[in-house]
Amino acid sequence: MENGRIAIPSNGQGGLSGTRAGHFGHCDVFTFVDVKEGNIETVSTIPNQEHAQGGCMVPVNLLAEHRVNALIVGGIGMRPLMGFRQVGIDVYHDDQRPDIEPVVMDLIAGKLEQIRNDQVCGGGAR
């Protein structure tokens, strides 16, 4: 990924040195990593929103409003995945590493693959 904004569902305060949340819909914050010419330019976080109203499309709309281009998840349900695809956000999959920085570096380097439909989880349950 040469240019764009990556979102990572994160635990606690998030940030590049933080850890990833296992289920994107229940994360505490989203860490945003802005990439310019293949380098990390800025890192910021925003709190996740409750999605009782609007269901699993709330995070989709939230990330779309913040001009996210790519999302890295350990797990995601089919409905939000389809939502992200509709708004043009590419969803990448890594369910092995809890740390944020290594998966971000792999995405920038082109080493992460987009999630396949057979990798989708049931969602909802924790």
Side-chain angles (χ1 to χ4, degrees):
M1 178 175 193
E2 196 64 19
N3 296 291
R5 173 171 277 178
I6 303 167
I8 307 96
S10 309
N11 294 313
Q13 299 298 309
L16 206 55
S17 60
T19 58
R20 298 166 56 219
H23 190 286
F24 95 96
H26 298 287
C27 68
D28 297 317
V29 299
F30 287 99
T31 297
F32 290 157
V33 178
D34 292 304
V35 179
K36 189 169 184 182
E37 296 174 7
N39 295 304
I40 294 174
E41 192 170 62
T42 56
V43 178
S44 57
T45 60
I46 60 161
N48 191 9
Q49 294 179 349
E50 287 294 317
H51 55 281
Q53 298 287 321
C56 53
M57 290 306 287
V58 170
V60 172
N61 296 329
L62 177 68
L63 297 185
E65 286 166 17
H66 283 85
R67 300 178 313 283
V68 167
N69 306 103
L71 172 68
I72 305 172
V73 298
I76 191 170
M78 185 55 84
R79 272 190 64 215
L81 176 60
M82 298 322 261
F84 282 119
R85 288 178 177 164
Q86 284 175 353
V87 297
I89 297 174
D90 295 328
V91 181
Y92 294 85
H93 183 250
D94 182 297
D95 61 2
Q96 301 301 309
R97 296 168 293 175
D99 296 325
I100 291 172
E101 189 169 14
V103 294
V104 167
M105 298 312 288
D106 276 358
L107 178 56
I108 293 170
K111 296 179 184 173
L112 283 190
E113 293 190 15
Q114 288 194 36
I115 194 164
R116 300 185 315 267
N117 288 355
D118 65 357
Q119 292 173 309
V120 170
C121 61
R126 247 188 132 155

